[in-house]
Amino acid sequence: MFLEERRKSILQYLDEHERGYVNYFAAHFNVTKETIRSDLNTLAEMGLVQRCYGGAIISRRSLLAELISETGDSFEVLLQPIYHRKSPSDERQKGKFMQGKVCVFGSFNVDIVAKVERFPRGGESLMALGSSLGPGGKGANQATAASKAGAQVHFVAKVGKDQFSNLAADHLTRSAIHSYTLYQSESEPTGNAIIYVSQENGENMIAIYSGANKTITHNEIQAIIPELSSSDVLLVQLENNFDATHSIIKIAHELGKRVILNPAPYSAEIIPSIPFVDVITPNETEASLLSGIDINDLDTAKEAALRIAELGARKVLITMGSRGALLLDNRQFSHIRAFPAVTVDTTGAGDAFNGALAASLAAGNSLVQATTWASAFASLAVELEGASNMPDFEQANARLRTLRTQEK
């Protein structure tokens, strides 16, 4: 069998079964494992498959099926990257969802969540009311939020070569995220987070081990420049290695893309990157650490925002939970109040806000409009259980309309 015929057969198998393994393909086609690995790597470079430990997973399975049905046996057309194509539903949904493309560079973690009546004291053991294991990480959560908020999203992350790498690929393939680049580390496991969620008030405590998230290389950053070039907004957080984060921020800045930095979890190492950022979105704790000012009300938040602006930030947006959000733009302050919500779990509130903000800005809305819409979106997120569980575009619009009706 010729090389092109073999690769076409591999794609057709993956389209039908979604996942395939090197051992199976080598035996099926009577070739070496090295030959199959080369085939899968080539298909991955074209954006048609995602490499996983021992094999590959189809990229955007429904789109590939559509492509095969449209092009028949034309192998050359079949191997065009499909993540740049629009599905038929894109045109049907035009006007229903926001337009614009967001590139999210960030973390993928496995979240291990324990529900507790209250947070344990030092040295105390508590019986959990329940526990779960699932996908998380600020990057993945924000990419999901931006996608659910209506943007076309390309997500970039890195996992280990362990049992959780399949969880990552399966989650991203089945998610609303349009496309993704998932690298694998040879030395570190997939990142993970231990999360306590208090049933008293929905607040959370989180301990994170970054693992593979901290091993992004220069070459891996360079490889995603085409995706970055076609995006309107870059959204980053601080769960990856800082040299990679700083590098992609500078590249996006040089390309003239709007850069949103969510400085969480806080580290002073990000300060040299701030002059290349368009919007920085700390919460009260992060803003206090950045500015050296203890925030306890709106006035101290304004002082902190001015101090952060002195670090080179063009626009400062401090999220303040139930007190809303404070925006500093061109030395002018705007206070966007919080939307009423019945709090269940605040774990993903910041990620929901940042993802929705990026989606709205990518669609061409003003920063005040985007902040208001993101606040409505985040108010819905805290009513849902789980950091990766996000509302959608229509739900956020409905909440926005409800509040406006009540104000009249």
Side-chain angles (χ1 to χ4, degrees), residues 180-249:
Y180 61 90
T181 299
L182 195 61
Y183 297 114
Q184 284 189 296
S185 171
E186 298 288 340
S187 59
E188 288 287 336
T190 302
N192 57 79
I194 311 298
I195 304 171
Y196 289 105
V197 179
S198 169
Q199 301 305 288
E200 283 184 332
N201 52 21
E203 293 296 327
N204 62 81
M205 295 174 62
I206 307 174
I208 300 169
Y209 177 68
S210 294
N213 293 307
K214 292 285 192 179
T215 66
I216 302 281
T217 67
H218 174 75
N219 288 339
E220 288 166 343
I221 292 295
Q222 293 294 310
I224 60 174
I225 289 179
E227 287 292 343
L228 191 55
S229 298
S230 64
S231 299
D232 302 294
V233 171
L234 169 68
L235 173 60
V236 299
Q237 325 77 34
L238 303 184
E239 289 183 341
N240 299 98
N241 45 309
F242 288 99
D243 57 338
T245 303
H246 183 69
S247 177
I248 196 169
I249 286 174

Side-chain angles (χ1 to χ4, degrees), residues 382-396:
V382 302
E383 296 181 343
L384 302 173
E385 191 170 335
S388 63
N389 197 4
M390 297 292 172
D392 60 29
F393 178 85
E394 285 298 340
Q395 289 173 317

Side-chain angles (χ1 to χ4, degrees), residues 117-400:
E117 289 185 356
R118 56 173 175 79
F119 295 138
R121 301 182 180 91
E124 180 185 19
S125 296
L126 287 180
M127 296 296 291
L129 303 176
S131 66
S132 63
L133 184 149
K138 286 189 174 296
N141 292 343
Q142 292 182 14
T144 300
S147 298
K148 296 292 288 287
Q152 183 185 35
V153 174
H154 185 81
F155 175 51
V156 183
K158 193 166 186 176
V159 295
K161 288 190 172 180
D162 51 32
Q163 67 270 32
F164 293 134
S165 64
N166 288 339
L167 185 151
D170 288 345
H171 167 68
L172 295 174
T173 299
R174 290 173 170 79
S175 73
I177 297 169
H178 184 262
S179 60
Y180 61 90
T181 299
L182 195 61
Y183 297 114
Q184 284 189 296
S185 171
E186 298 288 340
S187 59
E188 288 287 336
T190 302
N192 57 79
I194 311 298
I195 304 171
Y196 289 105
V197 179
S198 169
Q199 301 305 288
E200 283 184 332
N201 52 21
E203 293 296 327
N204 62 81
M205 295 174 62
I206 307 174
I208 300 169
Y209 177 68
S210 294
N213 293 307
K214 292 285 192 179
T215 66
I216 302 281
T217 67
H218 174 75
N219 288 339
E220 288 166 343
I221 292 295
Q222 293 294 310
I224 60 174
I225 289 179
E227 287 292 343
L228 191 55
S229 298
S230 64
S231 299
D232 302 294
V233 171
L234 169 68
L235 173 60
V236 299
Q237 325 77 34
L238 303 184
E239 289 183 341
N240 299 98
N241 45 309
F242 288 99
D243 57 338
T245 303
H246 183 69
S247 177
I248 196 169
I249 286 174
K250 286 194 69 176
I251 291 170
H253 177 74
E254 290 166 0
L255 290 171
K257 307 301 177 182
R258 182 173 278 183
V259 180
I260 302 173
L261 167 63
N262 177 219
Y266 174 77
S267 173
E269 289 188 64
I270 200 60
I271 290 176
S273 301
I274 291 177
F276 303 100
V277 169
D278 294 285
V279 186
I280 187 168
T281 61
N283 63 19
E284 290 174 280
T285 301
E286 294 144 8
S288 294
L289 292 168
L290 276 166
S291 65
I293 294 173
D294 187 22
I295 297 176
N296 47 51
D297 56 23
L298 200 58
D299 288 336
T300 50
K302 289 180 178 180
E303 292 178 35
L306 289 168
R307 188 73 59 83
I308 295 169
E310 292 173 0
L311 297 175
R314 290 171 174 78
K315 305 177 195 300
V316 181
L317 177 54
I318 301 176
T319 57
M320 305 175 67
S322 61
R323 288 185 288 194
L326 177 70
L327 171 63
L328 173 61
D329 184 359
N330 194 27
R331 301 192 70 81
Q332 297 294 316
F333 287 106
S334 300
H335 180 227
I336 291 83
R337 67 179 186 173
F339 285 70
V342 179
T343 302
V344 173
D345 184 356
T346 63
T347 310
D351 296 334
F353 180 92
N354 280 277
L357 179 76
S360 188
L361 288 176
N365 294 315
S366 71
L367 187 51
V368 170
Q369 290 172 324
T371 303
T372 304
W373 200 83
S375 295
F377 191 92
S379 73
L380 287 159
V382 302
E383 296 181 343
L384 302 173
E385 191 170 335
S388 63
N389 197 4
M390 297 292 172
D392 60 29
F393 178 85
E394 285 298 340
Q395 289 173 317
N397 265 355
R399 175 146 295 184
L400 194 60

Side-chain angles (χ1 to χ4, degrees), residues 25-56:
F25 290 131
H28 181 75
F29 294 112
N30 195 28
V31 295
T32 66
K33 295 178 184 178
E34 288 71 23
T35 297
I36 295 299
R37 290 190 185 101
S38 176
D39 290 341
L40 296 179
N41 288 339
T42 298
L43 296 174
E45 290 172 0
M46 293 177 175
L48 295 169
V49 305
Q50 296 290 333
R51 291 286 272 123
C52 65
Y53 186 68

